[in-house]
Amino acid sequence: MAKKEDDFQEYGINTRAVHTGNGYDQETGAVRRPLHMANSFKLPDDLSQVNYSSTDLLMYSRNGNPNQQWLEQKVASLHGADDAIVLGSGVGALHALFWTLLKTGDHVVYPKVSYMAVYRLFHELFREKFGVQTEMVDMTDLAAVEKVVKDGTRLIHIETPDNPVNGVTDIAAIAEIAHAHGALLSVDNTFASPYNQHPLALGADFVVESLTKFINGHGDAQGGAILSNNLAEMDRIRYEAQVNVGAVISPFNAWQIFRGASTFPMRMERINTTTLQLAQWLEQRQGVTFVSYPGLKNNPGYETAKKQMQNGFGGVISFGIDADDKTVERFCAALKIITFAVSLGHDESLIFPQPSYDERIRLYPPQFQNGFIRFSVGLEDVADLIADLDQALKVIGL
């Protein structure tokens, strides 16, 4: 495929979020893109030039659908990327990227702290099923990364901020290490979002976003995206992972996320502001044992985050309370506005405990191994969120 068209690339991110990928409906004149639920499309009269494994021609929804393609234009524009591939989920996007890039014997370096699916893919599935050599490292420690990367390393994968600890990795520095050894760098940008961080501009080769989270922003659709300026590799991902593995997004989910993305920058600006205020309040609240948020000046990753996160520090706070697992659950259940649920990036605030019996807890810094909670901040009034946290802490005696 060619570079994604973007007639609004010279405009600001709010304008691009509204207009890129949008257009008048040719049949009705409607000013919003229609939902096309068709799974099959009319073929040209001459089939001699049709490639049935291509995504260039609308023919079958696994090869692509119009709503997917319009969403790809919008997401590419938000990232300043030449190309985007939108798939059925964030994990589907991660798998598609790794599946296409890696082969038996390749060496991969990935974070000690990462999303559970990444841990599963590298710690178990790719290593045990396909013979990929995988190695965990603390990505916030550049010297440690230098020690494990070698000339046979095919890929370094990072998250920044990482899930769920909120550690900050220097993207430009890791890109330099990767490229010096002939390796590629992929960055999961979900916690930051493209409003706050553009990894491709900092040297990353590929970026993955869970569109389910901040870009959609309403907790009602699932999708994931791969972004890159390497058009040849992106075409390979389409052929190998989208068409021939089938992780394609449904037209309805693509339509939902396209709609949600129009307000994404405005929501993210509000979330950035509210989250910083909440993190600062939690820092001084008795009974809170630690607060991890890149926007706090005493956070170990603050200077790096300030350098590479241009508009704010995201909508997730990791914090601890002086309580055992059951008491942490009682705290979460006592909240009245903040919802006790998994996921992040919704319009409503969500909270989820990370229990001490989690199999990966030993990989986290010591303070995260007891009473650890991940808090995704939504669009509610900050005073109401503070009052809700305070009353729930009092319920458990803190």
Side-chain angles (χ1 to χ4, degrees):
M1 276 195 171
K3 179 178 176 179
K4 286 282 187 287
E5 293 183 9
D6 185 2
D7 294 334
F8 300 93
Q9 62 184 335
E10 301 303 322
Y11 292 82
I13 192 169
N14 285 281
T15 303
R16 285 183 282 122
V18 171
H19 289 285
T20 305
N22 203 15
Y24 299 107
D25 180 51
Q26 294 289 327
E27 187 173 356
T28 67
V31 298
R32 304 299 297 176
R33 288 293 195 192
L35 170 61
H36 290 289
M37 290 298 290
N39 64 15
S40 187
F41 300 84
K42 184 184 181 304
L43 292 168
D45 295 339
D46 178 8
L47 298 180
S48 62
Q49 301 301 312
V50 172
N51 177 355
Y52 292 97
S53 291
S54 170
T55 58
D56 292 332
L57 176 69
L58 288 171
M59 64 179 96
Y60 183 59
S61 58
R62 182 159 46 82
N63 298 65
N65 63 73
N67 295 101
Q68 173 192 5
Q69 292 177 358
W70 295 325
L71 179 57
E72 287 175 345
Q73 289 180 341
K74 191 182 291 287
V75 174
S77 180
L78 292 174
H79 273 272
D82 287 349
D83 198 7
I85 300 170
V86 167
L87 298 168
S89 69
V91 173
L94 288 163
H95 180 273
L97 179 65
F98 303 153
W99 168 265
T100 305
L101 294 182
L102 301 174
K103 64 182 186 303
T104 300
D106 282 345
H107 181 245
V108 176
V109 179
Y110 70 106
K112 285 179 69 177
V113 176
S114 65
Y115 185 51
M116 174 63 89
V118 172
Y119 176 79
R120 290 268 186 265
L121 284 168
F122 286 142
H123 186 66
E124 296 177 12
L125 301 179
F126 273 78
R127 186 169 66 176
E128 294 175 7
K129 286 179 175 287
F130 307 118
V132 174
Q133 302 172 45
T134 64
E135 194 160 1
M136 286 189 290
V137 68
D138 178 359
M139 289 292 179
T140 66
D141 183 345
L142 296 178
V145 177
E146 283 273 19
K147 286 181 181 178
V148 299
V149 178
K150 53 191 179 183
D151 289 343
T153 301
R154 169 65 172 157
L155 177 70
I156 301 178
H157 177 73
I158 65 175
E159 299 174 11
T160 185
D162 60 37
N163 185 1
V165 167
N166 246 335
V168 178
T169 295
D170 189 324
I171 298 171
I174 298 290
E176 190 174 333
I177 293 169
H179 298 155
H181 291 273
L184 298 167
L185 172 63
S186 59
V187 179
D188 189 324
N189 198 56
T190 300
F191 264 36
S193 87
Y195 184 76
N196 293 323
Q197 187 168 266
H198 289 157
L200 293 177
L202 296 168
D205 299 289
F206 298 93
V207 177
V208 176
E209 287 273 355
S210 175
L211 302 178
T212 312
K213 310 303 193 301
F214 292 110
I215 291 177
N216 177 50
H218 292 82
D220 57 6
Q222 198 165 54
I226 304 168
L227 302 112
S228 182
N229 297 329
N230 187 330
L231 299 180
E233 285 295 284
M234 292 291 275
D235 277 347
R236 202 159 70 87
I237 294 168
R238 284 189 173 88
Y239 172 76
E240 293 190 20
Q242 178 181 315
V243 177
N244 290 306
V245 174
V248 69
I249 193 170
S250 75
F252 183 69
N253 278 352
W255 182 84
Q256 288 272 81
I257 296 169
F258 187 90
R259 182 195 62 177
S262 295
T263 61
F264 155 68
M266 179 175 63
R267 288 185 283 101
M268 206 68 227
E269 181 179 17
R270 167 68 176 266
I271 287 169
N272 281 340
T273 301
T274 301
T275 308
L276 180 57
Q277 290 176 295
L278 286 164
Q280 290 167 339
W281 179 82
L282 283 165
E283 264 194 318
Q284 55 78 43
R285 178 55 164 83
Q286 188 176 0
V288 175
T289 55
F290 71 88
V291 181
S292 179
Y293 182 66
L296 295 175
K297 291 183 178 178
N298 64 353
N299 188 282
Y302 174 72
E303 291 300 329
T304 300
K306 190 169 67 168
K307 178 179 68 174
Q308 65 190 22
M309 300 179 78
Q310 66 268 30
N311 289 324
F313 302 99
V316 179
I317 303 170
S318 297
F319 70 99
I321 58 176
D322 187 11
D324 60 21
D325 290 335
K326 286 300 179 184
T327 306
V328 171
E329 289 176 16
R330 284 202 300 117
F331 161 72
C332 293
L335 292 161
K336 298 176 180 179
I337 296 172
I338 301 163
T339 303
F340 186 5
V342 298
S343 201
L344 56 102
H346 294 194
D347 48 349
E348 77 269 37
S349 295
L350 305 172
I351 203 159
F352 182 70
Q354 306 286 322
S356 63
Y357 51 82
D358 186 303
E359 66 186 278
R360 299 172 302 154
I361 204 78
R362 61 183 175 79
L363 302 173
Y364 301 165
Q367 68 268 32
F368 291 83
Q369 296 182 19
N370 185 63
F372 172 25
I373 300 166
R374 191 188 72 182
F375 177 27
S376 170
V377 178
L379 299 175
E380 301 94 341
D381 289 306
V382 66
D384 293 333
L385 292 171
I386 288 172
D388 197 23
L389 290 166
D390 193 51
Q391 67 81 23
L393 286 167
K394 288 174 180 175
V395 165
I396 61 168
L398 294 178

